[in-house]
Amino acid sequence: MTSVKDIIQSMHIQTDEGRDLVTRAYTFSKDAHKDHTRYSGEPYFVHPSYVAKLIAEYGGDASVIAAGLLHDTVEDVGVSLETIEKEFNKDVAFLVDGVTKLGQHKYRGTERHAESLRRLLVATSKDIRVLLIKLMDRYHNMTTLQHVPEEKQKRIALETVEIYAPIADRLGIGKIKQELEDLAFPYLDHDSYVHVVTILAKKRKEIEEGLRKVQKEIQKHLAGAGLTNFHTEIRIKGLYSLYKKLERKKKDITLVYDIAALRIILPTQADCYTALGVVHSLYRPIPGEIKDYISFPKPNGYQSIHSAVLTPDAGVVEVQIRTEEMHHHAQFGIASHMSYKQLGNQGKGMFESLSHTWMRELIPSLLAMGKKKKDEALSAPLPKPKWLSDLAESHARLVPGEEFVDGLKEDFFSHRVFVFTPKGDVIDLPSGSSSIDFAYAIHSDLGNTMAGAKVNGKLVALSTELKNGDVVDIVSKKRSSPTAKWLPYVKTSLARRMIRSALEKKEEK
Ligand code: MN
């Protein structure tokens, strides 16, 4: 069992209040779960205490760690949120409530539903810290999946790769993404798992020795070019990610260039480009296999240069070049900014920790406020997933000067409601929308012939406001048509426009 001392030692920010909050949550949760065991037969508290330690390691502050300790007390033990708020504070209760609610959405197993659910989870978690707790919760559950009844294992493993690993990826927490996938893999397709493990074992032997030679060679030449303070590491690709790549390359392992990669981590961005020159003058690059994610970061903020080069000792090797900061961000993603506020208090300049393009995209108001950036390359426009631009948009409304963590706490999706069609497609509408808005959002004909609506299988009044996760089924009749009575119930301008135009047509007749 993880001790409270272990957790506290892992905390990035040490304050008396923080330590006190964590200690109280530890005692409370331990007591609340005292009569329960896990499938493994271990005391239940092993789980929340471990989750709390992971959160601490990822830089979560005392409230997030306390919420990690308490995250199963509402759902599993029946502790009330009022009790949590009274014993701890509002913020902790809010986080526990968020995690509890996330647990209520289960993956139903279709591709369509997967995308919907990912969006729903991001939307309803309201606060990125809730997702962080949920990811750590899932991570620990995956490490003990062998104890779970077999019929549940596959569903949980599938949900992990379809829902949680992509969320970890979107938040830029590469480390957790890979671990989640590799833990789930054997439960998803055991034969492929064994196959990939075998390939990797064989390949690894083949290339590891060669790779060490390449590493030495590169180190020598980097030093020769006057670069100092760099370090290199060998990275072996995750099992599941190798499996996916093999599928894409028609199972031809010789076309997978990044089974093993050599990472070069340097102090500055300029050093990265110098190092790239060194590597390319040493080994011939494979055409079309260079990607500059420093100038063009991935949507999740990932930055690095990747170049596959042909080496005499190890065949084709992917070299990844990045700064220390990019490296840290690639592993911890948004979590690396969790304890940002406190860092600010310790005198670290606010903008220093916001130098990622992504972060700057998220907080345009802050950027507008200060600091002309020198790096031209970093101002390139980014392809962004919709949810990320929504997030950016809501941050843009923040008063300049509000701090980043406060921005994270903003309920950035509070103005939208996410509902499903009976087939599992997600439709997002302004909050307060009714089934009439829903019908018109799908098709004008559906709105114009709407006779009623079922929400979660029950007929409801047309004025009923939709809630996140509702499944909405529109009942239509050929002879039905819109009436002026609908107008007060609609929130979207599309629905209002369509109703008005249908009413006008009716009058003309
Ligand atoms: Mn849990």
Side-chain angles (χ1 to χ4, degrees), residues 15 26 36 44 131 133 138 194 217 231 278 285 316 323 372 381 383 392 413 417 425 432 455 458 501 506:
T15 64
Y26 187 93
H36 298 94
Y44 193 87
L131 285 176
I133 298 169
R138 178 52 59 108
V194 171
E217 189 82 2
H231 64 102
V278 170
V316 177
T323 65
K372 285 142 242 142
F413 273 103
V417 56
D425 289 323
V455 172
K458 281 192 197 125
S501 105
K506 224 196 264 177

Side-chain angles (χ1 to χ4, degrees), residues 38 44 47-48 51 71-72 76 134 137-138 141:
R38 305 205 85 211
Y44 193 87
H47 170 64
V51 168
H71 80 270
D72 280 327
D76 296 352
K134 191 67 203 169
D137 172 46
R138 178 52 59 108
N141 285 337

Side-chain angles (χ1 to χ4, degrees), residues 207-216 234-236 260-262 313-314 317:
I207 52 186
E208 216 159 43
E209 211 175 293
L211 215 52
R212 301 237 172 265
K213 283 189 192 161
V214 173
Q215 190 177 19
K216 284 229 172 75
I234 291 171
R235 185 235 47 167
I236 307 285
L262 189 71
D313 293 304
V317 173

Side-chain angles (χ1 to χ4, degrees), residues 361-373:
E361 287 284 323
L362 288 182
I363 337 173
S365 64
L366 284 179
L367 298 162
M369 193 179 121
K371 186 105 168 189
K372 285 142 242 142
K373 259 322 262 215

